[in-house]
Amino acid sequence: MPLFQNASFYISAHHLRDLPPPIGLEVAFAGRSNAGKSSALNTMANHNRLAYVSKQPGRTQLINFFALGGDRFLVDLPGYGYAKVPAAMREHWQSTLSSYLSHRSSLYGLVLVMDCRHPLTPLDRQMLDWFCPSGKPVHVLLTKSDKLSRNAANQTLLAVKKELNETWGNCTIQLFSSLKKQGVEEAEKVIGQWLYTAEDDIPDTVA
Ligand SMILES: Nc1nc2c(ncn2[C@@H]2O[C@H](COP(=O)(O)OP(=O)(O)OP(=O)(O)O)[C@@H](O)[C@H]2O)c(=O)[nH]1
Ligand SMILES: [Mg+2]
């Protein structure tokens, strides 16, 4: 049974003060607006409408928590880099996000979602610059891999992997497609290890 099959909506936070207490462990999905974060989350949870997906960028405007049971959570973050967001809102989000990412004690690691056709944008790099000094792991999903030929997707994978290793370290990376449901097991394995291996309560699904 997929590890995240029983994910259910838990809470939305607009301000840091609305966040649930940092109990247990969580993994956050970050990335550029429209990169496919909410879709990746839905695909992993095998649930079409858990997180809100839209063709219009900037749709996820709250920090949305999904409970996996046993005080484990997946967190869908608002995307960055959407030019049409009003400046005041962008500033609110920048400070909320950077504070969440740098100070949240229950945040185990970050899934950084990038459209495989536009990897490592300046804001993705800024995100890595901010987060990696924390020493926490980052797993990059190069998503929408169905939009590239297998060859082109693999070339992108190798090039981005090389740059991650050279510049930031402590990052893993894979191809992913929500449309074709490709890469789901690989991503589950990484996130499952993050959330469960340190503890005794390893579910049967994590070997
Ligand atoms: N072809 C293809 N389209 C995808 C894939 N993943 C997401 N999309 C499409 O990309 C668009 C944006 O997807 P979302 O999952 O809402 O993106 P997001 O990163 O959550 O966006 P924000 O919430 O605005 O930050 C939607 O039209 C999705 O259907 C994929 O793997 N393949
Ligand atoms: Mg979203």
Side-chain angles (χ1 to χ4, degrees), residues 29 32-39 41 51-54 56 58-62 64 76-79:
F29 284 57
R32 202 178 150 204
S33 206
N34 213 42
K37 297 173 293 300
S38 301
S39 301
L41 235 143
Y52 189 68
V53 168
S54 170
Q56 227 184 333
R59 270 305 154 161
T60 307
Q61 297 187 350
L62 298 162
N64 291 314
D76 191 18
L77 296 172

Side-chain angles (χ1 to χ4, degrees), residues 89-99 123 126 130:
M89 203 161 111
R90 194 157 54 226
E91 277 161 32
H92 166 72
W93 275 120
Q94 262 167 13
S95 67
T96 307
L97 267 186
S98 65
S99 182
L123 287 171
Q126 196 182 84
W130 273 350

